[in-house]
Amino acid sequence: MPKTPTIKTALPGPRAKQLIKLDKSYVSPSYTRVYPLVVDQAEGLWVHDVDGNVFLDFTAGIAVNATGHCHPHVVKAIQRQAKQLLHMSGTDFYYTPQIQLAEKLASLVPGKRAKRVYFGNSGAEAVEAAFKLARWHTKRELNIAFFGAFHGRTMGALSLTASKTVQKKHYNPLVPGITHIPYAYCYRCAYNLCYPECDLFCVKWIEDTLFRTTVPAEEVAAIFVEPIQGEGGYIVPPPGFHKEMYRIAKQYGILYVADEVQSGMGRTGKMFAMEHFQAQADITAIAKGIASGLPLGAMVAPAKIMDWEAGSHASTFGGNPISCQAAMATIELLEKSLMKNATVQGKRLMQGLHELQKTYECMGDVRGKGLMVGVEFVKNRETKEPATAWRPRIIRKAFEKGLLILGCGENSIRFCPSLTVSAKEIDLGLTIFEEAVREVCS
Ligand SMILES: Cc1ncc(COP(=O)(O)O)c(C=O)c1O
């Protein structure tokens, strides 16, 4: 495969145009396609469209293809399992891959307590399971989540979500009893304070105001949090945030639920982003990068918390044998070298973006951990007025030049390439990104 973007046709090309027309006739109009990419095949970080155009992929299929497209080790594991057993339903029967993966995940999720694993097919299902388990275990009705959070589209996960109103419009009433509070978004602090002088006011506010005025702490089942907010804008909270949140949760018998769907499985250079904060969670939701593109979600909790009875929650397809084998192969690669590569290449990417930030006033904030990196665009560094209209134009320009990137938040762009990305690919991505920024913002 060529290791350089090659754009041979106008975009979309003739074959892509035909397929997009067909798609419009048959596929749900609820999907958001930001540019007209019709994928034919892919390998590593390189995506070929149906017209023979070649793109460098810094989206990894929305932070999913952790090991790159079609990593041979993962493909082999899938092929081997496909010949042996496709499905038997792990909720009614036993099979080896599901048991082995549960053992592995229980050992990977931080915390010494004996753990149990529930399997679903997606991030939303992992969160939904956490939501139900928190109610089951605590017998409490209320929950806390954050503005900007994205936890999924099923009714429970959607109720915890506070990302964009278009995701909620016409779906009310949602699950009641959820209070959303400001995230530790230091670039735009909801309380107009600065870290560290703020002394984590956003956390203290929960005890001092929320629990004293509207939300009785003893009725709260769980606090749902993304260790690094993903869809909300790749927002990294300050160092003490999760530790302090966890302390409050424990003080009131509340479960702390880490939604690691986007930030987990090595993306930030550690298996789980929570590890960067030396903080713990009671329940961890995992999906996306776990199986390199096969559908799989998992919810991990201490055995003492996962105390629900047989029949209280299950899924026909959850923990499918092929997805479990893909996950085992993925984890092997992550542990062998890819988490380390995420740290090394993440640093290179951040340095490159910080360098660009010196030239381009519109790059208001550059932030991230490992290969979960975001740039927030502003019209003016002083006023921080969001450059909402520039963001899609930059993404489109990058696409036309052969680089695939995605937005997050209202005015940010995320970089979440596969963890196999090389230094050369990082530099190439930065070069194309700079051209796109220059053409739109100057
Ligand atoms: C943090 C987080 N949680 C949950 C989800 C939902 O995952 P899925 O789309 O697999 O249901 C997402 C998806 O973007 C996510 O980023």
Side-chain angles (χ1 to χ4, degrees):
M1 286 227 178
K3 297 275 184 216
T4 178
T6 314
I7 307 301
K8 302 180 192 165
T9 69
L11 294 173
R15 181 83 186 113
K17 253 190 195 155
Q18 273 175 1
L19 285 159
I20 289 169
K21 195 168 166 221
L22 199 61
D23 177 284
K24 280 203 165 59
S25 305
Y26 293 106
V27 176
S28 166
S30 63
Y31 299 160
T32 334
R33 272 71 169 260
V34 286
Y35 39 80
L37 172 71
V38 183
V39 179
D40 182 41
Q41 54 162 315
E43 184 190 323
L45 272 92
W46 296 91
V47 166
H48 289 227
D49 79 359
V50 288
D51 295 291
N53 298 304
V54 184
F55 301 85
L56 174 60
D57 180 14
F58 269 26
T59 75
I62 327 187
V64 167
N65 301 308
T67 56
H69 291 279
C70 302
H71 193 291
H73 185 59
V74 178
V75 171
K76 239 183 239 154
I78 292 168
Q79 286 170 335
R80 221 181 300 124
Q81 184 58 43
K83 281 192 199 150
Q84 196 174 331
L85 176 72
L86 286 179
H87 172 81
M88 196 58 202
S89 193
T91 63
D92 283 45
F93 307 99
Y94 303 95
Y95 45 81
T96 316
Q98 180 170 288
I99 299 165
Q100 285 178 337
L101 179 60
E103 184 188 23
K104 185 68 189 172
L105 288 175
S107 75
L108 291 178
V109 168
K112 290 198 177 75
R113 295 177 280 184
K115 296 177 211 97
R116 299 283 183 269
V117 182
Y118 169 88
F119 288 107
N121 303 285
S122 65
E125 283 185 47
V127 170
E128 200 72 39
F131 195 2
K132 288 176 78 175
L133 179 63
R135 275 206 180 173
W136 171 275
H137 177 72
T138 62
K139 310 290 183 286
R140 296 178 178 187
E141 288 187 9
L142 305 183
N143 287 284
I144 292 171
F146 291 88
F147 287 119
F150 185 84
H151 295 293
R153 308 277 193 163
T154 53
M155 287 305 249
L158 181 64
S159 307
L160 294 164
T161 291
S163 184
K164 295 182 184 135
T165 44
V166 66
Q167 295 157 351
K168 293 188 143 181
K169 198 166 69 177
H170 302 315
Y171 298 139
N172 281 297
L174 295 169
V175 179
I178 296 164
T179 301
H180 287 98
I181 61 173
Y183 194 71
Y185 183 7
C186 297
Y187 185 64
R188 296 183 189 275
C189 175
Y191 305 101
N192 251 325
L193 298 171
C194 284
Y195 180 82
E197 295 79 40
C198 65
D199 203 17
L200 290 173
F201 178 86
C202 55
V203 182
K204 292 189 172 32
W205 178 88
I206 298 170
E207 262 189 307
D208 296 349
T209 303
L210 191 71
F211 288 168
R212 283 187 39 224
T213 55
T214 51
V215 177
E218 63 277 14
E219 289 182 22
V220 177
I223 298 170
F224 286 80
V225 68
E226 289 164 87
I228 294 173
Q229 218 173 54
E231 300 301 307
Y234 275 29
I235 299 163
V236 185
F241 177 72
H242 289 297
K243 245 190 187 159
E244 196 51 19
M245 286 295 300
Y246 189 68
R247 184 195 64 73
I248 290 183
K250 288 309 92 188
Q251 189 172 330
Y252 296 96
I254 299 167
L255 297 174
Y256 200 51
V257 180
D259 180 344
E260 294 261 17
V261 166
Q262 188 149 178
S263 59
M265 301 316 294
R267 171 145 299 282
T268 65
K270 295 198 185 280
M271 193 57 84
F272 295 101
M274 216 51 158
E275 296 170 49
H276 287 285
F277 302 90
Q278 288 90 42
Q280 280 195 50
D282 295 302
I283 303 179
T284 302
I286 310 166
K288 283 199 186 280
I290 189 172
S292 292
L294 263 72
L296 184 66
M299 185 269 288
V300 185
K304 279 208 170 125
I305 292 173
M306 203 181 290
D307 57 358
W308 47 17
E309 63 190 357
S312 54
H313 196 43
S315 148
T316 299
F317 289 113
N320 166 277
I322 299 184
S323 296
C324 287
Q325 290 291 19
M328 292 293 278
T330 300
I331 293 167
E332 269 171 42
L333 294 168
L334 295 179
E335 289 186 317
K336 200 166 145 204
S337 62
L338 296 189
M339 279 200 291
K340 192 158 172 255
N341 192 53
T343 304
V344 174
Q345 302 310 338
K347 241 182 222 157
R348 191 178 184 94
L349 176 60
M350 281 286 269
Q351 272 167 5
L353 290 170
H354 278 303
E355 212 39 56
L356 294 184
Q357 200 184 17
K358 290 182 192 157
T359 308
Y360 299 98
E361 164 97 9
C362 59
M363 292 172 64
D365 196 27
V366 174
R367 56 198 175 223
K369 293 254 183 234
L371 288 171
M372 186 171 186
V373 175
V375 178
E376 180 160 345
F377 286 86
V378 292
K379 288 209 169 142
N380 175 314
R381 287 249 179 107
E382 294 279 295
T383 63
K384 296 185 184 173
E385 185 191 342
T388 333
W390 290 349
R391 193 263 301 271
R393 287 174 51 205
I394 295 167
I395 291 175
R396 176 74 200 203
K397 280 263 180 233
F399 169 62
E400 285 163 5
K401 293 171 186 294
L403 174 69
L404 306 178
I405 43 178
L406 281 172
C408 59
E410 272 190 13
N411 54 317
S412 298
I413 286 177
R414 71 179 113 177
F415 296 79
C416 51
S418 299
L419 276 51
T420 52
V421 69
S422 66
K424 238 182 172 172
E425 287 163 339
I426 290 285
D427 294 349
L428 185 55
L430 281 165
T431 303
I432 301 175
F433 176 69
E434 180 180 8
E435 283 173 22
V437 171
R438 191 188 316 124
E439 286 176 27
V440 173
C441 303
S442 14

